[in-house]
Amino acid sequence: MKKFPDTLLIIFGIMIVFIALTWIVPAGEFERTLANGREVLVPGSYQRVEANPQGLGALLQGPVRGFISAAQIIAFVFLVGGAFGIITKTGAIDAGLQSIINFSERHPRYRHWILPLVITLFSLAGATFGMSEEVLVFVLITIPLALALGYDSITGIAVSFVGAGLGFAGAFINPFTIGVAQGIAELPPASGMGYRLLVWVVTTVIGIIYIMRYALRLEQDPTLSPVYELDQKRDLGQLGNAEQLPFTAAHRYVLLALSAALLLLVYGVGQWGWYINEIAGLFIGLGIVAAIISHLGLEESVAAFKDGAQDMMTAALVIAMAKGLIVIAEEGKIIDTLLHTIAGLSEGLPKAVTVEIMFLFQTLLNFFVPSGSGQAALTMPIMAPLSDLLGISRQTAVLAFQFGDGLSNLIIPTSGVTMGVLAIAKIPYNVWVRWFLPLFLLLCAACMLLLLPPVLLFEWA
């Protein structure tokens, strides 16, 4: 069978398409203004501007400009990867995973509760403080966890990456999406909570059922996994059959330090506004503490750090290339034209149809603007007054935005987080699309149905 192109080749091909679009799509811009310290579009201000088609120079410079644009998150990936290299060197994770295997063997009735519990926790993280880039940290834990339980690496990234994405799409208080969108739409903060909680439960349950059905099929026949051969080559792939590692006091203290760091991460993001810099610093500190607890020498610790950072090289390249796509679209001045054209399609249609067009529009736009807060700032200044004209509540317009942004983030190749997660897991993009596409379509159908009650059955203020 012909091998599917490497992820970097896929992104470079999309970059060429973006270059072509800057020659085809008319250039246009909305006026922008500052509102509550945020740059927002001025409704009705769209106008054609002089075209700025991108050429060979933009194509060749795209990766470099992507590195510059994504410098912070790329540094984050390298540094956190290095810190986890030290933690892995201590052997604490291997010993802890073997303890989970032993527990599931001693208490088989609890085995099938582990994954749903982990998915729910990640979904809560996505729904409350908007876990996104942070998932790049957690897949380093959930992949070996899934392998230790006898599943595969797809299950490993599903419980964390998809779990957080489910919460992100069905969020009820995420300040980076709902908070920004409601602020621009002039809605009270955290309003509409009742229906949003129902939405979160529905999206999370759908994801849990899909992932667990897949995991149960793997229990019957592990070779059904599309990454079965790949996982056999992983160091942790044979963990269950490996020689039993003693779970020492040092291992216990390292895992306690890791747990404390993860709890501090959640609190810091939610309460202190932590982001990339603070989280990276937290894990560097964790790596130092783990080295001290395990009595690793300086040379041994540095070597482990470099090995862990080196493992993140492909992920960093993928993230830079994905950001380069967005730089080309912005420089070519085609994003605002796309926004203006698709927003106009909803005028004069029934409310039930219009709200679905809003959802589809936000999904399409997310391919070009894979940023929740960025897309909210870009579209809500138009969608909010448009929803007033069409007789649709602004809460519903916000819900259409968060669905379109959140779900597609899990599959689009322009998302640095999506491609970074796959690069870390060493899972080809086409394999992920084949696995995730049925769940994506199922979630899209559910979200389209969830958009109808506020339009047809009750007034959502």
Side-chain angles (χ1 to χ4, degrees):
M1 190 174 83
K2 189 175 180 180
K3 185 180 178 183
F4 195 80
D6 186 86
T7 300
L8 290 174
L9 286 176
I10 295 172
I11 297 178
F12 192 73
I14 297 173
M15 194 174 288
I16 294 174
V17 173
F18 275 32
I19 292 286
L21 288 176
T22 65
W23 289 85
I24 299 169
V25 177
E29 289 182 342
F30 284 96
E31 292 180 14
R32 286 165 166 78
T33 186
L34 287 178
N36 299 321
R38 219 179 280 118
E39 186 178 70
V40 299
L41 303 185
V42 177
S45 66
Y46 174 83
Q47 59 183 353
R48 294 287 178 86
V49 298
E50 183 179 352
N52 187 32
Q54 304 294 287
L56 180 61
L59 178 65
L60 298 178
Q61 295 175 40
V64 177
R65 301 181 73 180
F67 260 107
I68 295 170
S69 179
Q72 191 178 34
I73 190 171
I74 290 171
F76 170 80
V77 166
F78 276 130
L79 294 172
V80 173
F84 265 88
I86 296 175
I87 296 169
T88 301
K89 184 67 175 178
T90 68
I93 292 180
D94 287 6
L97 292 174
Q98 285 192 348
S99 297
I100 293 176
I101 295 173
N102 295 335
F103 176 83
S104 65
E105 290 174 348
R106 292 194 307 269
H107 307 282
R109 64 183 181 277
Y110 295 127
R111 175 184 177 86
H112 295 146
W113 288 99
I114 295 176
L115 293 187
L117 176 61
V118 175
I119 295 169
T120 301
L121 291 174
F122 277 103
S123 183
L124 270 173
T128 52
F129 68 86
M131 175 178 283
S132 180
E133 288 88 352
E134 298 86 351
V135 166
L136 294 167
V137 172
F138 287 98
V139 294
L140 296 167
I141 301 171
T142 56
I143 290 174
L145 171 63
L147 293 172
L149 291 171
Y151 303 122
D152 66 352
S153 52
I154 283 183
T155 307
I157 64 174
V159 295
S160 53
F161 176 54
V162 175
L166 294 169
F168 201 91
F172 49 86
I173 201 173
N174 180 356
F176 303 109
T177 53
I178 296 177
V180 173
Q182 287 185 330
I184 295 173
E186 299 178 347
L187 294 168
S191 56
M193 183 68 71
Y195 191 65
R196 293 187 186 281
L197 283 169
L198 173 64
V199 166
W200 172 74
V201 170
V202 171
T203 55
T204 303
V205 168
I206 290 173
I208 288 174
I209 292 173
Y210 186 89
I211 295 169
M212 285 306 300
R213 286 188 64 191
Y214 174 73
L216 292 174
R217 287 201 303 270
L218 292 185
E219 288 185 3
Q220 301 300 317
D221 184 2
T223 62
L224 292 175
S225 167
V227 292
Y228 177 75
E229 293 183 3
L230 174 65
D231 285 343
Q232 297 308 301
K233 301 174 184 177
R234 297 179 191 270
D235 292 339
L236 289 173
Q238 304 297 328
L239 185 61
N241 300 320
E243 180 181 351
Q244 186 66 34
L245 293 173
F247 190 56
T248 65
H251 292 152
R252 186 178 299 110
Y253 291 137
V254 168
L255 292 180
L256 285 173
L258 174 60
S259 300
L262 296 180
L263 289 174
L264 185 57
L265 182 153
V266 173
Y267 188 84
V269 171
Q271 299 299 317
W272 298 331
W274 280 10
Y275 191 48
I276 296 296
N277 292 355
E278 293 82 2
I279 297 172
L282 172 66
F283 280 94
I284 291 172
L286 173 63
I288 294 171
V289 169
I292 293 172
I293 292 174
S294 300
H295 303 292
L296 294 181
L298 289 177
E299 293 294 332
E300 192 176 13
S301 299
V302 171
F305 183 90
K306 289 193 292 187
D307 288 342
Q310 183 176 329
D311 289 341
M312 297 295 114
M313 177 62 72
T314 300
L317 289 171
V318 166
I319 291 169
M321 292 284 284
K323 289 292 277 187
L325 294 172
I326 308 306
V327 171
I328 288 172
E330 290 174 344
E331 291 294 319
K333 302 182 186 299
I334 60 175
I335 291 179
D336 284 9
T337 297
L338 179 70
L339 175 67
H340 172 72
T341 302
I342 300 180
L345 295 176
S346 59
E347 296 185 51
L349 295 173
K351 294 179 184 179
V353 176
T354 299
V355 74
E356 305 299 357
I357 290 178
M358 285 182 170
F359 164 65
L360 295 174
F361 162 62
Q362 298 283 7
T363 301
L364 177 61
L365 184 65
N366 200 45
F367 187 87
F368 297 91
V369 190
S371 163
S373 56
Q375 190 177 151
L378 187 65
T379 63
M380 290 313 298
I382 293 174
M383 288 302 179
L386 179 62
S387 65
D388 294 339
L389 293 173
L390 299 172
I392 297 172
S393 72
R394 292 193 171 195
Q395 292 285 11
T396 309
V398 171
L399 187 64
F401 145 72
Q402 72 181 78
F403 282 161
D405 167 64
L407 295 181
S408 56
N409 274 335
L410 297 169
I411 197 171
I412 55 174
T414 53
S415 167
V417 176
T418 297
M419 304 309 282
V421 165
L422 296 180
I424 290 170
K426 298 180 174 64
I427 293 176
Y429 178 69
N430 64 310
V431 172
W432 174 251
V433 170
R434 283 203 305 269
W435 183 87
F436 181 69
L437 187 59
L439 176 57
F440 175 71
L441 296 176
L442 182 62
L443 288 168
C444 284
C447 289
M448 292 176 81
L449 290 175
L450 288 167
L451 284 168
L452 295 178
V455 174
L456 303 176
L457 301 181
F458 64 91
E459 183 69 27
W460 194 19

